[in-house]
Amino acid sequence: MGPVARSLTGLALVTAALIATTSTASASESAAGPAQPNIAAAALYALSHPTASPPGSNDFSCKPTAAHPRPVVLSNGTGANAYDDWAGLSGVLKRDGYCVFAPNLGGPEGGMFQALGDIPTTAGQFGQYIDKVLAATGASTVDIVGHSQGGMMPRYYLRNLGGASKVGTLVGLAPSNHGTDLDGLVTAVRKLPGGGDFADGVVGVVCPACVQQEVGSSFITSLNGGGDTMPGVNYTVIATRTDEVVTPYTSAYLSGSKVTNLRLQDYCLLDGTEHINITYDHIAIQLVRNALDPAHAWTPNCLT
C-alpha cells in the first residue's frame, strides 16, 4: 500500500471513529479539570471528562480588573475540545488576573470532539457566547485566543457577524487563516478515483469544517477576499516552522497594518513544537501573554 493510500485509509478510519464515538458524560458537566503539561495528557483526561472546563475558566461571576479589563475567550481547534487545547494556558491567564472563558462549540453537546461543524454556524454560536460573556462581566469588549480553526473562525465572526466592535485583540496559534494542503495530502486524495467524493461526501458530512479549511476552498476564498483584517482589531499570529497540519506554515500569517506575525523558532531555533501541542509550548504561551498585555511583555527563549 502506497503512502497516499495509507493516508486515505487512515483518514477513513478516523472518520469512522468520529461517527462511532458517543459520550456518556453529562452535557451539564463543567467542573474545571487539572492543569496539564501537554495536549496528550489533556486528551487522556478529557476521554472521561469531555465537558470539563480548563483550569480557571468559565467563572461567570468573574469581574474584570482595571489592569485586565477585557475578558479572554479561548477558541479550540478542529476535533479538539476546550479542555484539550487550553488545560495549560487557561490557568496561566487566570493567574495573570484575567477572566477566562472557553466554550465547546461546533460539535455534539457533551461530546469529546468539537469544532467539526460548519464554520459560519460555529462562528454564530461563538458570537452568542461572547455576548453572554460581555453581559455577565460588564465588559464592552473581549480578547480572543484561538488555536488552528479556533484562530481563524473568529475572523468570520469579526467580518461577517458584527464582531469587530466587540473584540480588542485576536491571537491565533497556528491558525488556518489561508487554508491548508496537509503537506499535499488534500491534493493527492482528491486526485484519486473517488477521492473527491470521499472528501466531500464522507469527510464533508462528518466534519464540514475539515473540508472548509482546505486551501482554495470557497469558504477560505470568501473569508480572505476582502482583506485579512478588520479596522480596530489587533492581530497576533504565532506559527511554528514544524507545523504538520497547517501547511505551509506561513499560510497562518496575516497581512495588515495592525498585524504581528511571530514564529517560535525565532525565539528558540531548537523548538520543535508542532501544530497539535503549540498551545502548551512555553514560548507560545509567553507570546500570547505579550500580545494580551504588551505593556508588560518580555522576550522568551529556549529556557524561559
Side-chain angles (χ1 to χ4, degrees), residues 149-163:
Q149 182 200 147
M152 173 272 290
M153 175 273 292
R155 292 180 52 226
Y156 184 94
Y157 165 65
L158 298 179
R159 178 175 299 279
N160 299 97
L161 303 178

Side-chain angles (χ1 to χ4, degrees), residues 14-110:
V14 170
T15 302
L18 289 174
I19 295 173
T21 298
T22 58
S23 172
T24 58
S26 168
S28 63
E29 180 185 4
S30 60
Q36 300 291 354
N38 53 58
I39 199 169
L44 183 63
Y45 182 87
L47 282 173
S48 55
H49 305 84
T51 62
S53 292
S57 70
N58 297 336
D59 175 8
F60 279 86
S61 67
C62 184
K63 298 300 180 183
T65 64
H68 299 300
R70 293 190 297 274
V72 178
V73 180
L74 306 176
S75 176
N76 54 270
T78 307
N81 56 56
Y83 185 81
D84 283 346
D85 261 352
W86 306 116
L89 177 63
S90 62
V92 174
L93 296 180
K94 181 66 174 180
R95 290 193 297 273
D96 284 346
Y98 293 95
C99 295
V100 183
F101 300 89
N104 278 314
L105 304 171
E109 186 175 0

